[in-house]
Amino acid sequence: MQVEIKIDSSYTEPKVLILTNAVTDDVNNIVKRISECTPQIISGSKDEKIEVLEQAELIRIYAGAGKVFAVTNRGEYTLRLRLYEVEERLNPEQFIRISNSEIINLKQVCNFDLSFTGTICVKLSNGTTTYVSRRYVSKIKKLLGI
């Protein structure tokens, strides 16, 4: 694959042009990645007020009692989205699902404790301890290079 960048002051925003002889899986993946680059807003409610939550501030997002919650250093917020909808909006290089009901921010992880048999204990920056479900253990180990 060849990559070429042309600087032209007549363009007010970046333009991507793909030249190819056929639409392949690689081309589809490139288009998908480029179109996903736009950050999507996540808003949460707390004390009857709605706030826009910055992805970098999120520590964990989890489902419980039929609701979805986002935890930041400023507190816990209730989201109006389902967990899979939140996951679609999050940066996949920064967030990872650790169970069917929880997603964590990798940049807010203090450590992973692998001493537990069959699971992984995760200590987060706010002092919260959570666990990777057995179904997601291999995914986390692969991420950690183990």
Side-chain angles (χ1 to χ4, degrees):
M1 178 183 341
Q2 298 176 14
V3 177
E4 185 179 328
I5 298 175
K6 291 183 180 179
I7 309 293
D8 187 341
S9 59
S10 66
Y11 287 95
T12 57
E13 63 181 62
K15 177 182 178 180
V16 177
L17 174 65
I18 300 173
L19 303 172
T20 182
N21 63 347
V23 178
T24 63
D25 287 341
D26 287 340
V27 172
N28 285 330
N29 288 336
I30 290 168
V31 170
K32 184 178 177 186
R33 288 189 133 223
I34 290 171
S35 61
E36 289 177 347
C37 287
T38 3
Q40 296 195 359
I41 293 175
I42 296 174
S43 62
S45 61
K46 177 178 155 187
D47 302 327
E48 297 183 22
K49 294 179 184 172
I50 294 179
E51 294 181 37
V52 174
L53 304 174
E54 294 293 328
Q55 289 194 19
E57 295 178 356
L58 296 172
I59 297 171
R60 66 191 279 246
I61 301 98
Y62 69 96
K67 296 181 180 179
V68 176
F69 302 94
V71 178
T72 70
N73 286 326
R74 294 180 294 155
E76 188 170 277
Y77 296 83
T78 305
L79 306 181
R80 287 193 171 161
L81 300 167
R82 295 182 182 267
L83 198 60
Y84 76 90
E85 294 172 321
V86 175
E87 185 176 28
E88 289 172 357
R89 294 180 180 212
L90 295 170
N91 178 353
E93 295 173 2
Q94 187 175 347
F95 291 88
I96 190 163
R97 187 181 278 262
I98 61 167
S99 71
N100 284 340
S101 60
E102 188 167 6
I103 300 167
I104 60 169
N105 183 344
L106 291 169
K107 295 188 178 186
Q108 298 285 344
V109 173
C110 291
N111 61 58
F112 292 94
D113 184 355
L114 287 89
S115 64
F116 294 90
T117 306
T119 190
I120 299 171
C121 178
V122 182
K123 176 99 180 206
L124 299 169
S125 63
N126 66 345
T128 303
T129 300
T130 187
Y131 296 89
V132 177
S133 71
R134 291 177 192 261
R135 180 178 177 188
Y136 292 88
V137 167
S138 62
K139 183 179 177 183
I140 298 295
K141 284 185 174 181
K142 182 177 178 183
L143 174 80
L144 297 173
I146 302 172

